[in-house]
Amino acid sequence: MSVNILLGLQWGDEGKGKVVDFLAPQYNVVARFQGGPNAGHTLEFDGIKHVLHQIPSGIFRAETKNIIGNGLVLDPIVLKKEIEALAKYNLDLKSNLFISKKAHIILPAHKLLDAAYEQAKGDKKIGSTLRGIGPTYQDKTGRNGLRIGDLVSGNFEEKYREHLARHVKLLEFLEYECDPSEMEKEFFEAVEYLKQFTFVDSEYMINASIAANEPILAEGAQGSLLDIDFGSYPFVTSSHTMVAGACTGLGVAPKHIGEVYGIFKAYCTRVGSGPFPTELFDEDGKQLAKVGNEFGATTGRPRRCGWLDLPALKYTVMINGVTQLLMMKADVLNDFDEIKVCTHYKLKNGELTDQLPYDLTEEVAAPVYKTFKGWNQSLEGITTFDALPAAVLEYVAYIEEQTGVPITLVSTGPDRKQTIHKGELALN
């Protein structure tokens, strides 16, 4: 059985949590492969809305094994709060939540360093969530990190103190006044709390599931345009948010990859700083934000809104080898008379291109749009593709033609029941 991968194709916030929750009954295993508490996956069902940050989105399905992979950076304080918030649902997390020993730990000083680095950038801030993600990945690649497996070593606190001393020197160099010890009590309480859960060699666990022909879904965070290599650098996250990240973040060989589900909104959003060619500053942009409730699930920050960017979508489809497209938030466009799609960029030299330039900030002059007639009606109660308004089907068909990939799911609302899919979403 192959590992199917689900990831975002834009700048994050595409609705991955809802889709994982929707698909989870088909899978024995749901595994997160990168990111950390800067992610916010929103799930809504039975009138309940819940936001997950580090725990895989299959956690509400009792029969699903949920793996936090080695590619993540984990904040014990946030993870403890996240687990405690799930207590009211009577979930057996001690039986179906597994944490990789190789996942790196976000230390209290990492959050302070995050703020210090951002402050040092002045007006060139990248819009960090200040959750300590970047500094933790820096320590990981600098071979200075602490991992979940270290929590059960006999000298964890000694290792922690060594790292703290190094971090304090960095904070002093950056002239950032703070006291890392203020967060230590809560941190060590969270560390002790997490020891009741199952730490695993997740690469062995997931490959055993592959060998046993168990259906597996790998869940990404953020979006492909925030990938550290292929995103809108330097306004990106610190991990690999694309398909390759699932291989390194879980220990899965490329030969085991099956379906690649690419999720995108019917329009575009972005949180924080960075280039956004189709961003709208008019009433259309305000309407997208209002109707789409576009606020970050983790930070609460308002999201910037704009029309669908086809060159960017084609780019992320290409680099991820997407086999199925899943279109979210189609209902947000219900009341627009006209809907636009960016088909090309007009560069500063007048050239038209449908390829993503090396540097979006420096190169893009203006988006070139194709206009579609809006459907001007509610999608409430529609349960099949054939019943969708003709204008929706025209919009879907155009995106399929341009990307060369079928759209097999359309989301018409936040609840798991408000999901229309074409046939059965193939497991492999």
Side-chain angles (χ1 to χ4, degrees):
M1 184 68 71
S2 298
V3 177
N4 292 346
I5 299 174
L6 182 142
L7 42 77
L9 298 179
Q10 295 163 319
W11 283 285
D13 308 306
E14 298 95 348
K16 294 178 289 296
K18 173 187 172 175
V19 176
V20 175
D21 175 64
F22 177 77
L23 293 175
Q26 301 181 53
Y27 293 91
N28 290 42
V29 179
V30 174
R32 269 279 304 275
F33 61 83
Q34 49 75 224
N38 56 342
H41 291 179
T42 304
L43 294 79
E44 192 165 327
F45 53 89
D46 300 332
I48 299 168
K49 182 178 180 180
H50 199 87
V51 179
L52 298 171
H53 301 283
Q54 302 171 105
I55 294 175
S57 301
I59 200 66
F60 290 100
R61 306 290 188 173
E63 304 304 316
T64 303
K65 291 181 284 188
N66 291 267
I67 300 175
I68 294 175
N70 60 275
L72 275 78
V73 291
L74 291 180
D75 185 331
I77 296 172
V78 174
L79 187 54
K80 177 177 180 284
K81 291 177 180 177
E82 193 172 349
I83 292 170
E84 289 175 336
L86 292 170
K88 60 186 175 184
Y89 301 109
N90 297 315
L91 304 173
D92 188 6
L93 271 65
K94 291 182 181 179
S95 296
N96 69 350
L97 178 64
F98 304 89
I99 307 172
S100 173
K101 293 177 185 176
K102 291 184 172 68
H104 278 248
I105 302 169
I106 298 173
L107 305 176
H110 282 137
K111 300 174 190 177
L112 299 174
L113 283 167
D114 206 348
Y117 288 138
E118 192 77 339
Q119 177 180 282
K121 290 183 175 72
D123 59 3
K124 295 183 179 179
K125 291 179 173 65
I126 63 170
S128 169
T129 60
L130 306 180
R131 303 298 170 109
I133 308 297
T136 308
Y137 275 116
Q138 281 179 279
D139 272 356
K140 175 179 178 176
T141 57
R143 296 165 291 185
N144 283 312
L146 284 175
R147 302 183 292 177
I148 288 294
D150 291 320
L151 297 183
V152 291
S153 68
N155 61 342
F156 173 71
E157 188 160 350
E158 180 184 336
K159 293 178 180 178
Y160 170 83
R161 295 296 166 198
E162 290 174 358
H163 283 75
L164 177 62
R166 182 170 50 82
H167 290 153
V168 167
K169 288 180 180 179
L170 282 170
L171 289 165
E172 290 173 350
F173 175 78
L174 292 165
E175 299 180 345
Y176 190 79
E177 294 185 12
C178 60
D179 183 4
S181 65
E182 291 180 357
M183 291 182 279
E184 283 187 352
K185 184 176 183 294
E186 189 178 15
F187 174 76
F188 281 106
E189 286 176 353
V191 163
E192 288 304 311
Y193 177 84
L194 292 183
K195 288 179 183 179
Q196 66 184 296
F197 296 95
T198 307
F199 301 163
V200 297
D201 295 306
S202 55
E203 63 274 27
Y204 281 105
M205 184 178 180
I206 201 160
N207 278 282
S209 292
I210 293 171
N213 286 321
E214 293 182 337
I216 301 165
L217 182 65
E219 173 190 19
Q222 288 88 39
S224 297
L225 292 174
L226 293 176
D227 183 84
I228 187 67
D229 275 313
F230 294 99
S232 51
Y233 192 86
F235 301 97
V236 293
T237 193
S238 303
S239 59
H240 295 286
T241 59
M242 47 183 285
V243 162
C247 295
T248 59
L250 292 172
V252 172
K255 69 179 181 179
H256 293 308
I257 295 173
E259 295 291 328
V260 179
Y261 301 119
I263 302 185
F264 71 103
K265 280 178 180 170
Y267 51 101
C268 277
T269 63
R270 177 164 197 163
V271 173
S273 306
F276 186 177
T278 65
E279 184 172 8
L280 296 170
F281 302 95
D282 57 9
E283 291 304 313
D284 286 341
K286 292 177 183 177
Q287 184 175 341
L288 286 172
K290 181 180 179 181
V291 178
N293 190 30
E294 295 297 355
F295 298 91
T298 296
T299 62
R301 291 185 295 179
R303 296 175 185 143
R304 301 151 63 191
C305 296
W307 297 119
L308 183 65
D309 186 327
L310 202 53
L313 183 62
K314 289 161 66 175
Y315 172 77
T316 54
V317 165
M318 174 186 71
I319 63 174
N320 285 300
V322 173
T323 60
Q324 298 185 49
L325 284 168
L326 317 181
M327 186 170 80
M328 311 302 289
K329 288 197 167 184
D331 54 300
V332 175
L333 301 180
N334 284 352
D335 297 324
F336 283 89
D337 294 326
E338 292 184 341
I339 298 166
K340 295 182 179 181
V341 174
C342 170
T343 62
H344 295 78
Y345 303 133
K346 185 176 181 180
L347 304 181
K348 290 180 180 179
N349 63 5
E351 177 188 348
L352 290 181
T353 181
D354 64 351
Q355 295 187 2
L356 219 58
Y358 163 72
D359 188 333
L360 277 170
T361 305
E362 295 295 327
E363 293 294 341
V364 174
V368 177
Y369 289 112
K370 177 179 174 66
T371 301
F372 291 82
K373 182 180 178 183
W375 39 94
N376 274 304
Q377 69 178 81
S378 171
L379 303 181
E380 185 71 31
I382 297 176
T383 58
T384 64
F385 259 76
D386 292 343
L388 286 167
V392 176
L393 295 176
E394 181 184 354
Y395 191 67
V396 166
Y398 179 74
I399 296 169
E400 290 180 326
E401 176 194 356
Q402 293 298 307
T403 60
V405 179
I407 294 176
T408 56
L409 181 148
V410 173
S411 176
T412 59
D415 194 277
R416 65 166 64 137
K417 294 179 181 177
Q418 295 173 296
T419 310
I420 303 170
H421 55 103
K422 192 184 295 182
E424 291 298 322
L425 294 176
L427 287 178
N428 8 75

